[in-house]
Amino acid sequence: MPEILSQSQIDALINSMTSGDATAEVETKKENTYKKYDFYSPKKFTKDKLKMLSSIYENYARLCSSRINSLVRVSSQIEVIDVEEQRYYEFSNALNENDVLTLINVTMPDGSINGPVLLYASNQLLLCMMDRMLGGTGEDSQHVSTSYTYTDIELSLYRYIVKYWISVMKDGWSNYLELYFNLDKIETNPGMMQRIGFDETVVIVVMNVDIAGVSGKINICLPGSFLTNVFKCLEEHEEKAGQENEVVQNIMEGIKETSMEIKAELGSSKLLLRDLFGLQVGDVINLNKSKDSEVYLYVEGEPWFKGELGKSNKNMAVKINEICEKL
């Protein structure tokens, strides 16, 4: 495809033609566009890891929705709208002085304490839930100013609500790791929260909540140090699982050549000793089973299979129909 000339290049071409300079060349410059890389704040987590976090909190959103429904007695919808890596100061600068933060400690599978994970919910959302819990409609909460300050009673209700949200975080992570989340404290002044460095990498999970026409946001801030430990733990679990599978395969390979006795039991019967002494050729012993009944196959004396008696290539045989653990 021919390159499009700019207006200045067109003017230069016309001028060269009118001046009789047929050998004049018009230089065209091809603009190369490059994506700028921020060496000051490089990305720490890959897209696959962010996608995994998105999956975790989509599961958490479904669990959290049922908790909200039970609290406010009305249907709610929660969806994850963004999972983004950024610096903590970007999250902190977006908060107002009167906003309330929830600090959550996380207990790892090895017993170590990580965190804090931060949870922030918009005033409109929390006040709507409080109003509905107290018998109101919650509709007036959407007109509340962002500079609204919670009263002591509202802070108590706030604590009660976030405990419900924290209680299901463990289930949201259960498909990947066994983590335990516990409420640390409620911080009414975000500027005083200094347990995360301003330049530390964090992942922000943004969820939108809709309750009977009132919308609000829940932001969950996951510190980079916590996520680093989580992903390291996941890698160790995968490596351990791989080693265990390899051990199992090696064991199975080692015992495949072992010979084992397989015995088919047609039935059983009890006889008195005097009847046993009187047995003669041609006598018939009743096994107390019908001719079409199942036959049990024993492997080294343990019942493994159920089958039916028949023949194969003029030899007696048993067709396996079912696997059993015990008689």
Side-chain angles (χ1 to χ4, degrees):
M1 180 181 293
E3 192 170 30
I4 300 175
L5 301 180
S6 64
Q7 186 60 46
S8 59
Q9 293 169 339
I10 294 173
D11 294 339
L13 180 59
I14 295 174
N15 293 334
S16 65
M17 295 298 294
T18 55
S19 63
D21 187 4
T23 61
E25 297 182 355
V26 179
E27 296 181 357
T28 59
K29 295 182 180 180
K30 183 178 180 181
E31 296 183 358
N32 294 325
T33 58
Y34 301 97
K35 184 179 179 180
K36 293 183 178 180
Y37 185 81
D38 190 354
F39 287 92
Y40 178 72
S41 56
K43 296 298 180 183
K44 191 173 183 180
F45 304 109
T46 62
K47 291 182 179 180
D48 290 338
K49 291 180 179 179
L50 295 180
K51 187 176 180 180
M52 187 194 79
L53 292 175
S54 179
S55 175
I56 290 172
Y57 281 94
E58 283 175 359
N59 185 32
Y60 170 71
R62 290 190 292 270
L63 298 170
C64 195
S65 178
S66 63
R67 289 303 179 100
I68 292 178
N69 294 348
S70 65
L71 278 175
V72 300
R73 301 177 300 279
V74 69
S75 179
S76 64
Q77 293 183 350
I78 305 180
E79 61 176 346
V80 178
I81 59 177
D82 192 21
V83 177
E84 182 181 3
E85 177 184 337
Q86 55 184 236
R87 295 288 176 166
Y88 175 69
Y89 66 80
E90 298 180 60
F91 172 77
S92 178
N93 291 344
L95 299 175
N96 297 314
E97 293 182 358
N98 297 323
D99 287 334
V100 177
L101 278 179
T102 303
L103 278 65
I104 306 168
N105 286 331
V106 187
T107 303
M108 301 292 289
D110 60 0
S112 61
I113 306 297
N114 276 248
V117 171
L118 306 181
L119 184 147
Y120 165 74
S122 61
N123 294 341
Q124 292 84 355
L125 174 62
L126 266 300
L127 292 174
C128 174
M129 294 183 63
M130 294 176 190
D131 191 21
R132 283 191 166 273
M133 289 171 61
L134 299 176
T137 61
E139 295 178 355
D140 295 335
S141 62
Q142 57 186 339
H143 305 297
V144 174
S145 171
T146 55
S147 60
Y148 182 86
T149 302
Y150 291 105
T151 64
D152 291 341
I153 295 177
E154 289 170 342
L155 283 175
S156 298
L157 291 173
Y158 180 99
R159 179 182 292 269
Y160 180 78
I161 291 171
V162 296
K163 280 185 176 180
Y164 264 78
W165 295 347
I166 295 172
S167 64
V168 294
M169 282 189 177
K170 172 181 176 293
D171 298 326
W173 281 83
S174 60
N175 292 335
Y176 295 89
L177 274 181
E178 197 72 19
L179 303 179
Y180 297 90
F181 296 83
N182 299 292
L183 175 64
D184 182 12
K185 64 179 294 188
I186 304 295
E187 182 60 68
T188 56
N189 187 353
M192 299 296 294
M193 214 298 293
Q194 299 180 355
R195 291 170 61 180
I196 301 178
F198 279 97
D199 287 331
E200 182 175 344
T201 301
V202 297
V203 172
I204 309 299
V205 181
V206 183
M207 298 187 294
N208 185 68
V209 185
D210 192 306
I211 303 176
V214 178
S215 296
K217 297 286 192 302
I218 296 177
N219 293 349
I220 299 176
C221 176
L222 305 171
S225 56
F226 160 68
L227 292 177
T228 299
N229 292 335
V230 165
F231 294 132
K232 180 180 178 181
C233 192
L234 284 173
E235 291 173 358
E236 290 176 352
H237 279 205
E238 291 176 357
E239 183 179 354
K240 184 178 179 181
Q243 291 175 351
E244 290 177 351
N245 290 336
E246 186 178 353
V247 170
V248 171
Q249 291 178 359
N250 291 337
I251 293 174
M252 293 303 295
E253 289 294 332
I255 65 176
K256 278 183 179 180
E257 302 301 324
T258 304
S259 60
M260 306 185 76
E261 181 186 38
I262 299 180
K263 178 177 65 176
E265 183 183 89
L266 301 180
S268 62
S269 180
K270 292 183 178 180
L271 295 175
L272 295 176
L273 185 57
R274 64 172 175 265
D275 296 332
L276 184 61
F277 284 150
L279 288 176
Q280 301 291 332
V281 176
D283 289 346
V284 177
I285 299 176
N286 189 357
L287 297 179
N288 299 316
K289 292 177 68 175
S290 65
K291 64 176 183 178
D292 297 326
S293 60
E294 292 179 323
V295 176
Y296 287 92
L297 280 174
Y298 291 79
V299 179
E300 293 295 330
E302 294 294 331
W304 276 38
F305 307 103
K306 295 179 183 180
E308 57 182 301
L309 191 62
K311 63 180 182 178
S312 175
N313 296 328
K314 297 182 180 182
N315 293 321
M316 292 184 64
V318 176
K319 179 182 178 182
I320 297 175
N321 294 331
E322 184 181 348
I323 298 175
C324 63
E325 296 181 357
K326 60 181 179 179
L327 286 170

